PDB file of all heavy atoms in Angstrom:
ATOM      1  N   LEU A   1      -7.808   2.113   2.629  1.00 96.00           N
ATOM      2  CA  LEU A   1      -8.372   3.108   1.717  1.00 96.00           C
ATOM      3  C   LEU A   1      -8.423   2.573   0.288  1.00 96.00           C
ATOM      4  O   LEU A   1      -9.411   2.776  -0.436  1.00 96.00           O
ATOM      5  CB  LEU A   1      -7.548   4.395   1.775  1.00 96.00           C
ATOM      6  CG  LEU A   1      -7.658   5.216   3.063  1.00 96.00           C
ATOM      7  CD1 LEU A   1      -6.627   6.346   3.055  1.00 96.00           C
ATOM      8  CD2 LEU A   1      -9.065   5.781   3.225  1.00 96.00           C
ATOM      9  N   GLN A   2      -7.351   1.882  -0.128  1.00 95.00           N
ATOM     10  CA  GLN A   2      -7.320   1.321  -1.479  1.00 95.00           C
ATOM     11  C   GLN A   2      -8.363   0.226  -1.651  1.00 95.00           C
ATOM     12  O   GLN A   2      -9.071   0.179  -2.658  1.00 95.00           O
ATOM     13  CB  GLN A   2      -5.923   0.769  -1.788  1.00 95.00           C
ATOM     14  CG  GLN A   2      -5.817  -0.034  -3.079  1.00 95.00           C
ATOM     15  CD  GLN A   2      -6.194   0.764  -4.320  1.00 95.00           C
ATOM     16  OE1 GLN A   2      -6.079   1.978  -4.363  1.00 95.00           O
ATOM     17  NE2 GLN A   2      -6.670   0.065  -5.340  1.00 95.00           N
ATOM     18  N   MET A   3      -8.499  -0.643  -0.667  1.00 93.00           N
ATOM     19  CA  MET A   3      -9.438  -1.757  -0.788  1.00 93.00           C
ATOM     20  C   MET A   3     -10.888  -1.289  -0.702  1.00 93.00           C
ATOM     21  O   MET A   3     -11.793  -1.939  -1.237  1.00 93.00           O
ATOM     22  CB  MET A   3      -9.140  -2.819   0.268  1.00 93.00           C
ATOM     23  CG  MET A   3      -7.793  -3.500   0.069  1.00 93.00           C
ATOM     24  SD  MET A   3      -7.541  -4.987   1.066  1.00 93.00           S
ATOM     25  CE  MET A   3      -8.671  -6.139   0.245  1.00 93.00           C
ATOM     26  N   ARG A   4     -11.121  -0.173  -0.030  1.00 93.00           N
ATOM     27  CA  ARG A   4     -12.480   0.374   0.040  1.00 93.00           C
ATOM     28  C   ARG A   4     -12.854   1.181  -1.198  1.00 93.00           C
ATOM     29  O   ARG A   4     -14.037   1.444  -1.435  1.00 93.00           O
ATOM     30  CB  ARG A   4     -12.623   1.254   1.288  1.00 93.00           C
ATOM     31  CG  ARG A   4     -12.700   0.461   2.587  1.00 93.00           C
ATOM     32  CD  ARG A   4     -12.941   1.384   3.780  1.00 93.00           C
ATOM     33  NE  ARG A   4     -13.119   0.620   5.004  1.00 93.00           N
ATOM     34  CZ  ARG A   4     -13.337   1.157   6.204  1.00 93.00           C
ATOM     35  NH1 ARG A   4     -13.400   2.494   6.318  1.00 93.00           N
ATOM     36  NH2 ARG A   4     -13.494   0.395   7.260  1.00 93.00           N
ATOM     37  N   SER A   5     -11.849   1.564  -1.967  1.00 93.00           N
ATOM     38  CA  SER A   5     -12.120   2.296  -3.208  1.00 93.00           C
ATOM     39  C   SER A   5     -12.715   1.345  -4.242  1.00 93.00           C
ATOM     40  O   SER A   5     -12.488   0.136  -4.201  1.00 93.00           O
ATOM     41  CB  SER A   5     -10.835   2.909  -3.757  1.00 93.00           C
ATOM     42  OG  SER A   5     -10.266   3.815  -2.839  1.00 93.00           O
ATOM     43  N   LYS A   6     -13.463   1.894  -5.174  1.00 89.00           N
ATOM     44  CA  LYS A   6     -14.094   1.068  -6.199  1.00 89.00           C
ATOM     45  C   LYS A   6     -13.250   0.980  -7.469  1.00 89.00           C
ATOM     46  O   LYS A   6     -13.674   0.370  -8.447  1.00 89.00           O
ATOM     47  CB  LYS A   6     -15.487   1.612  -6.521  1.00 89.00           C
ATOM     48  CG  LYS A   6     -16.444   1.486  -5.339  1.00 89.00           C
ATOM     49  CD  LYS A   6     -17.813   2.029  -5.674  1.00 89.00           C
ATOM     50  CE  LYS A   6     -18.757   1.898  -4.472  1.00 89.00           C
ATOM     51  NZ  LYS A   6     -20.105   2.435  -4.780  1.00 89.00           N
ATOM     52  N   ARG A   7     -12.081   1.613  -7.437  1.00 91.00           N
ATOM     53  CA  ARG A   7     -11.165   1.536  -8.579  1.00 91.00           C
ATOM     54  C   ARG A   7      -9.739   1.738  -8.082  1.00 91.00           C
ATOM     55  O   ARG A   7      -9.504   2.018  -6.906  1.00 91.00           O
ATOM     56  CB  ARG A   7     -11.514   2.581  -9.638  1.00 91.00           C
ATOM     57  CG  ARG A   7     -11.395   4.018  -9.146  1.00 91.00           C
ATOM     58  CD  ARG A   7     -11.645   5.004 -10.270  1.00 91.00           C
ATOM     59  NE  ARG A   7     -11.636   6.391  -9.838  1.00 91.00           N
ATOM     60  CZ  ARG A   7     -10.541   7.124  -9.663  1.00 91.00           C
ATOM     61  NH1 ARG A   7      -9.345   6.586  -9.884  1.00 91.00           N
ATOM     62  NH2 ARG A   7     -10.625   8.377  -9.284  1.00 91.00           N
ATOM     63  N   TYR A   8      -8.807   1.604  -8.968  1.00 93.00           N
ATOM     64  CA  TYR A   8      -7.395   1.813  -8.655  1.00 93.00           C
ATOM     65  C   TYR A   8      -7.130   3.267  -8.322  1.00 93.00           C
ATOM     66  O   TYR A   8      -7.455   4.171  -9.091  1.00 93.00           O
ATOM     67  CB  TYR A   8      -6.549   1.375  -9.858  1.00 93.00           C
ATOM     68  CG  TYR A   8      -5.144   1.918  -9.897  1.00 93.00           C
ATOM     69  CD1 TYR A   8      -4.218   1.624  -8.894  1.00 93.00           C
ATOM     70  CD2 TYR A   8      -4.720   2.717 -10.965  1.00 93.00           C
ATOM     71  CE1 TYR A   8      -2.925   2.110  -8.944  1.00 93.00           C
ATOM     72  CE2 TYR A   8      -3.426   3.198 -11.031  1.00 93.00           C
ATOM     73  CZ  TYR A   8      -2.527   2.902 -10.014  1.00 93.00           C
ATOM     74  OH  TYR A   8      -1.255   3.390 -10.076  1.00 93.00           O
ATOM     75  N   ARG A   9      -6.550   3.498  -7.157  1.00 94.00           N
ATOM     76  CA  ARG A   9      -6.157   4.842  -6.730  1.00 94.00           C
ATOM     77  C   ARG A   9      -4.635   4.874  -6.623  1.00 94.00           C
ATOM     78  O   ARG A   9      -4.056   4.269  -5.707  1.00 94.00           O
ATOM     79  CB  ARG A   9      -6.765   5.169  -5.373  1.00 94.00           C
ATOM     80  CG  ARG A   9      -8.282   5.094  -5.330  1.00 94.00           C
ATOM     81  CD  ARG A   9      -8.906   6.368  -5.836  1.00 94.00           C
ATOM     82  NE  ARG A   9     -10.345   6.384  -5.666  1.00 94.00           N
ATOM     83  CZ  ARG A   9     -11.119   7.406  -5.982  1.00 94.00           C
ATOM     84  NH1 ARG A   9     -10.550   8.514  -6.466  1.00 94.00           N
ATOM     85  NH2 ARG A   9     -12.420   7.351  -5.818  1.00 94.00           N
ATOM     86  N   PRO A  10      -3.954   5.546  -7.538  1.00 95.00           N
ATOM     87  CA  PRO A  10      -2.476   5.535  -7.536  1.00 95.00           C
ATOM     88  C   PRO A  10      -1.860   5.931  -6.202  1.00 95.00           C
ATOM     89  O   PRO A  10      -0.881   5.316  -5.764  1.00 95.00           O
ATOM     90  CB  PRO A  10      -2.122   6.542  -8.641  1.00 95.00           C
ATOM     91  CG  PRO A  10      -3.300   6.560  -9.543  1.00 95.00           C
ATOM     92  CD  PRO A  10      -4.484   6.347  -8.664  1.00 95.00           C
ATOM     93  N   LEU A  11      -2.406   6.953  -5.554  1.00 96.00           N
ATOM     94  CA  LEU A  11      -1.841   7.416  -4.295  1.00 96.00           C
ATOM     95  C   LEU A  11      -1.923   6.330  -3.235  1.00 96.00           C
ATOM     96  O   LEU A  11      -0.925   6.029  -2.558  1.00 96.00           O
ATOM     97  CB  LEU A  11      -2.569   8.673  -3.814  1.00 96.00           C
ATOM     98  CG  LEU A  11      -2.023   9.302  -2.529  1.00 96.00           C
ATOM     99  CD1 LEU A  11      -0.606   9.844  -2.754  1.00 96.00           C
ATOM    100  CD2 LEU A  11      -2.944  10.423  -2.049  1.00 96.00           C
ATOM    101  N   TYR A  12      -3.085   5.733  -3.076  1.00 97.00           N
ATOM    102  CA  TYR A  12      -3.269   4.688  -2.066  1.00 97.00           C
ATOM    103  C   TYR A  12      -2.452   3.449  -2.407  1.00 97.00           C
ATOM    104  O   TYR A  12      -1.817   2.847  -1.523  1.00 97.00           O
ATOM    105  CB  TYR A  12      -4.742   4.299  -1.944  1.00 97.00           C
ATOM    106  CG  TYR A  12      -5.664   5.411  -1.540  1.00 97.00           C
ATOM    107  CD1 TYR A  12      -7.033   5.348  -1.805  1.00 97.00           C
ATOM    108  CD2 TYR A  12      -5.190   6.548  -0.884  1.00 97.00           C
ATOM    109  CE1 TYR A  12      -7.903   6.370  -1.430  1.00 97.00           C
ATOM    110  CE2 TYR A  12      -6.039   7.578  -0.515  1.00 97.00           C
ATOM    111  CZ  TYR A  12      -7.391   7.480  -0.789  1.00 97.00           C
ATOM    112  OH  TYR A  12      -8.241   8.492  -0.423  1.00 97.00           O
ATOM    113  N   TYR A  13      -2.457   3.056  -3.676  1.00 97.00           N
ATOM    114  CA  TYR A  13      -1.748   1.841  -4.092  1.00 97.00           C
ATOM    115  C   TYR A  13      -0.251   1.959  -3.849  1.00 97.00           C
ATOM    116  O   TYR A  13       0.363   1.095  -3.209  1.00 97.00           O
ATOM    117  CB  TYR A  13      -2.028   1.552  -5.568  1.00 97.00           C
ATOM    118  CG  TYR A  13      -1.310   0.327  -6.100  1.00 97.00           C
ATOM    119  CD1 TYR A  13      -1.930  -0.911  -6.101  1.00 97.00           C
ATOM    120  CD2 TYR A  13      -0.007   0.414  -6.610  1.00 97.00           C
ATOM    121  CE1 TYR A  13      -1.270  -2.036  -6.589  1.00 97.00           C
ATOM    122  CE2 TYR A  13       0.652  -0.698  -7.092  1.00 97.00           C
ATOM    123  CZ  TYR A  13       0.023  -1.921  -7.078  1.00 97.00           C
ATOM    124  OH  TYR A  13       0.685  -3.031  -7.545  1.00 97.00           O
ATOM    125  N   TRP A  14       0.357   3.037  -4.348  1.00 97.00           N
ATOM    126  CA  TRP A  14       1.812   3.135  -4.287  1.00 97.00           C
ATOM    127  C   TRP A  14       2.327   3.469  -2.894  1.00 97.00           C
ATOM    128  O   TRP A  14       3.432   3.046  -2.524  1.00 97.00           O
ATOM    129  CB  TRP A  14       2.324   4.127  -5.323  1.00 97.00           C
ATOM    130  CG  TRP A  14       2.270   3.559  -6.708  1.00 97.00           C
ATOM    131  CD1 TRP A  14       1.477   3.943  -7.738  1.00 97.00           C
ATOM    132  CD2 TRP A  14       3.036   2.454  -7.196  1.00 97.00           C
ATOM    133  NE1 TRP A  14       1.687   3.150  -8.847  1.00 97.00           N
ATOM    134  CE2 TRP A  14       2.658   2.226  -8.536  1.00 97.00           C
ATOM    135  CE3 TRP A  14       4.014   1.623  -6.646  1.00 97.00           C
ATOM    136  CZ2 TRP A  14       3.206   1.226  -9.323  1.00 97.00           C
ATOM    137  CZ3 TRP A  14       4.572   0.615  -7.419  1.00 97.00           C
ATOM    138  CH2 TRP A  14       4.176   0.419  -8.739  1.00 97.00           C
ATOM    139  N   LEU A  15       1.555   4.186  -2.094  1.00 97.00           N
ATOM    140  CA  LEU A  15       1.960   4.399  -0.706  1.00 97.00           C
ATOM    141  C   LEU A  15       1.877   3.088   0.070  1.00 97.00           C
ATOM    142  O   LEU A  15       2.709   2.821   0.940  1.00 97.00           O
ATOM    143  CB  LEU A  15       1.096   5.475  -0.055  1.00 97.00           C
ATOM    144  CG  LEU A  15       1.406   6.916  -0.494  1.00 97.00           C
ATOM    145  CD1 LEU A  15       0.436   7.897   0.149  1.00 97.00           C
ATOM    146  CD2 LEU A  15       2.849   7.297  -0.151  1.00 97.00           C
ATOM    147  N   SER A  16       0.893   2.259  -0.247  1.00 97.00           N
ATOM    148  CA  SER A  16       0.807   0.931   0.384  1.00 97.00           C
ATOM    149  C   SER A  16       2.026   0.096   0.031  1.00 97.00           C
ATOM    150  O   SER A  16       2.610  -0.576   0.888  1.00 97.00           O
ATOM    151  CB  SER A  16      -0.471   0.209  -0.063  1.00 97.00           C
ATOM    152  OG  SER A  16      -1.634   0.888   0.351  1.00 97.00           O
ATOM    153  N   VAL A  17       2.432   0.135  -1.238  1.00 97.00           N
ATOM    154  CA  VAL A  17       3.604  -0.625  -1.686  1.00 97.00           C
ATOM    155  C   VAL A  17       4.872  -0.117  -0.997  1.00 97.00           C
ATOM    156  O   VAL A  17       5.691  -0.914  -0.502  1.00 97.00           O
ATOM    157  CB  VAL A  17       3.755  -0.529  -3.224  1.00 97.00           C
ATOM    158  CG1 VAL A  17       5.106  -1.077  -3.671  1.00 97.00           C
ATOM    159  CG2 VAL A  17       2.631  -1.288  -3.917  1.00 97.00           C
ATOM    160  N   ALA A  18       5.053   1.195  -0.947  1.00 96.00           N
ATOM    161  CA  ALA A  18       6.256   1.760  -0.330  1.00 96.00           C
ATOM    162  C   ALA A  18       6.323   1.445   1.157  1.00 96.00           C
ATOM    163  O   ALA A  18       7.395   1.126   1.691  1.00 96.00           O
ATOM    164  CB  ALA A  18       6.296   3.270  -0.555  1.00 96.00           C
ATOM    165  N   LEU A  19       5.192   1.522   1.847  1.00 95.00           N
ATOM    166  CA  LEU A  19       5.169   1.227   3.283  1.00 95.00           C
ATOM    167  C   LEU A  19       5.372  -0.262   3.539  1.00 95.00           C
ATOM    168  O   LEU A  19       5.988  -0.656   4.537  1.00 95.00           O
ATOM    169  CB  LEU A  19       3.847   1.703   3.887  1.00 95.00           C
ATOM    170  CG  LEU A  19       3.730   3.227   3.982  1.00 95.00           C
ATOM    171  CD1 LEU A  19       2.274   3.642   4.154  1.00 95.00           C
ATOM    172  CD2 LEU A  19       4.575   3.753   5.147  1.00 95.00           C
ATOM    173  N   LEU A  20       4.875  -1.091   2.622  1.00 94.00           N
ATOM    174  CA  LEU A  20       5.119  -2.529   2.749  1.00 94.00           C
ATOM    175  C   LEU A  20       6.594  -2.840   2.559  1.00 94.00           C
ATOM    176  O   LEU A  20       7.116  -3.802   3.138  1.00 94.00           O
ATOM    177  CB  LEU A  20       4.277  -3.288   1.725  1.00 94.00           C
ATOM    178  CG  LEU A  20       4.277  -4.818   1.819  1.00 94.00           C
ATOM    179  CD1 LEU A  20       3.847  -5.273   3.210  1.00 94.00           C
ATOM    180  CD2 LEU A  20       3.351  -5.411   0.765  1.00 94.00           C
ATOM    181  N   ALA A  21       7.292  -2.020   1.761  1.00 93.00           N
ATOM    182  CA  ALA A  21       8.736  -2.202   1.590  1.00 93.00           C
ATOM    183  C   ALA A  21       9.468  -1.977   2.906  1.00 93.00           C
ATOM    184  O   ALA A  21      10.496  -2.608   3.171  1.00 93.00           O
ATOM    185  CB  ALA A  21       9.269  -1.245   0.523  1.00 93.00           C
ATOM    186  N   VAL A  22       8.944  -1.085   3.736  1.00 91.00           N
ATOM    187  CA  VAL A  22       9.532  -0.852   5.055  1.00 91.00           C
ATOM    188  C   VAL A  22       9.168  -1.988   6.001  1.00 91.00           C
ATOM    189  O   VAL A  22      10.038  -2.632   6.598  1.00 91.00           O
ATOM    190  CB  VAL A  22       9.039   0.486   5.653  1.00 91.00           C
ATOM    191  CG1 VAL A  22       9.625   0.693   7.049  1.00 91.00           C
ATOM    192  CG2 VAL A  22       9.425   1.647   4.749  1.00 91.00           C
ATOM    193  N   PHE A  23       7.880  -2.258   6.122  1.00 86.00           N
ATOM    194  CA  PHE A  23       7.412  -3.270   7.066  1.00 86.00           C
ATOM    195  C   PHE A  23       7.826  -4.681   6.657  1.00 86.00           C
ATOM    196  O   PHE A  23       8.168  -5.512   7.504  1.00 86.00           O
ATOM    197  CB  PHE A  23       5.892  -3.190   7.189  1.00 86.00           C
ATOM    198  CG  PHE A  23       5.291  -4.267   8.038  1.00 86.00           C
ATOM    199  CD1 PHE A  23       5.519  -4.291   9.406  1.00 86.00           C
ATOM    200  CD2 PHE A  23       4.503  -5.265   7.478  1.00 86.00           C
ATOM    201  CE1 PHE A  23       4.979  -5.295  10.200  1.00 86.00           C
ATOM    202  CE2 PHE A  23       3.955  -6.257   8.261  1.00 86.00           C
ATOM    203  CZ  PHE A  23       4.193  -6.277   9.628  1.00 86.00           C
ATOM    204  N   GLY A  24       7.812  -4.958   5.343  1.00 83.00           N
ATOM    205  CA  GLY A  24       8.167  -6.290   4.873  1.00 83.00           C
ATOM    206  C   GLY A  24       9.591  -6.673   5.197  1.00 83.00           C
ATOM    207  O   GLY A  24       9.904  -7.835   5.469  1.00 83.00           O
ATOM    208  N   THR A  25      10.496  -5.671   5.200  1.00 80.00           N
ATOM    209  CA  THR A  25      11.890  -5.922   5.558  1.00 80.00           C
ATOM    210  C   THR A  25      11.991  -6.447   6.981  1.00 80.00           C
ATOM    211  O   THR A  25      12.674  -7.449   7.251  1.00 80.00           O
ATOM    212  CB  THR A  25      12.722  -4.634   5.428  1.00 80.00           C
ATOM    213  OG1 THR A  25      12.694  -4.198   4.064  1.00 80.00           O
ATOM    214  CG2 THR A  25      14.156  -4.859   5.867  1.00 80.00           C
ATOM    215  N   PHE A  26      11.315  -5.775   7.896  1.00 79.00           N
ATOM    216  CA  PHE A  26      11.362  -6.196   9.286  1.00 79.00           C
ATOM    217  C   PHE A  26      10.663  -7.538   9.500  1.00 79.00           C
ATOM    218  O   PHE A  26      11.071  -8.325  10.352  1.00 79.00           O
ATOM    219  CB  PHE A  26      10.727  -5.128  10.188  1.00 79.00           C
ATOM    220  CG  PHE A  26      11.640  -3.972  10.450  1.00 79.00           C
ATOM    221  CD1 PHE A  26      11.472  -2.778   9.775  1.00 79.00           C
ATOM    222  CD2 PHE A  26      12.685  -4.073  11.350  1.00 79.00           C
ATOM    223  CE1 PHE A  26      12.320  -1.701  10.004  1.00 79.00           C
ATOM    224  CE2 PHE A  26      13.544  -3.009  11.590  1.00 79.00           C
ATOM    225  CZ  PHE A  26      13.357  -1.820  10.911  1.00 79.00           C
ATOM    226  N   SER A  27       9.620  -7.808   8.740  1.00 84.00           N
ATOM    227  CA  SER A  27       8.924  -9.091   8.871  1.00 84.00           C
ATOM    228  C   SER A  27       9.860 -10.245   8.538  1.00 84.00           C
ATOM    229  O   SER A  27       9.921 -11.241   9.270  1.00 84.00           O
ATOM    230  CB  SER A  27       7.703  -9.122   7.943  1.00 84.00           C
ATOM    231  OG  SER A  27       6.786  -8.113   8.274  1.00 84.00           O
ATOM    232  N   ALA A  28      10.593 -10.106   7.428  1.00 87.00           N
ATOM    233  CA  ALA A  28      11.519 -11.155   7.023  1.00 87.00           C
ATOM    234  C   ALA A  28      12.683 -11.276   7.997  1.00 87.00           C
ATOM    235  O   ALA A  28      13.069 -12.388   8.400  1.00 87.00           O
ATOM    236  CB  ALA A  28      12.033 -10.884   5.614  1.00 87.00           C
ATOM    237  N   ASP A  29      13.245 -10.134   8.400  1.00 83.00           N
ATOM    238  CA  ASP A  29      14.394 -10.157   9.302  1.00 83.00           C
ATOM    239  C   ASP A  29      14.008 -10.662  10.693  1.00 83.00           C
ATOM    240  O   ASP A  29      14.774 -11.402  11.330  1.00 83.00           O
ATOM    241  CB  ASP A  29      15.001  -8.760   9.412  1.00 83.00           C
ATOM    242  CG  ASP A  29      15.673  -8.311   8.124  1.00 83.00           C
ATOM    243  OD1 ASP A  29      15.951  -9.179   7.279  1.00 83.00           O
ATOM    244  OD2 ASP A  29      15.916  -7.101   7.968  1.00 83.00           O
ATOM    245  N   THR A  30      12.828 -10.251  11.167  1.00 83.00           N
ATOM    246  CA  THR A  30      12.371 -10.707  12.489  1.00 83.00           C
ATOM    247  C   THR A  30      12.104 -12.200  12.490  1.00 83.00           C
ATOM    248  O   THR A  30      12.422 -12.899  13.461  1.00 83.00           O
ATOM    249  CB  THR A  30      11.097  -9.946  12.901  1.00 83.00           C
ATOM    250  OG1 THR A  30      11.379  -8.548  12.957  1.00 83.00           O
ATOM    251  CG2 THR A  30      10.609 -10.410  14.263  1.00 83.00           C
TER     252      THR A  30
END
């Protein structure tokens, strides 16, 4: 959704960051 937007969308950007904080942890640990 953020990449398809034509400008910065705070909701899409920060939810992507927060979810990456969850997934990124498992990526490194795995």
Side-chain angles (χ1 to χ4, degrees):
L1 290 171
Q2 171 60 27
M3 294 192 71
R4 286 184 176 180
S5 300
K6 294 180 180 180
R7 62 175 176 82
Y8 161 62
R9 302 277 186 177
L11 183 66
Y12 300 159
Y13 179 93
W14 285 112
L15 286 177
S16 297
V17 169
L19 289 162
L20 187 56
V22 178
F23 175 68
T25 298
F26 281 102
S27 299
D29 291 343
T30 300

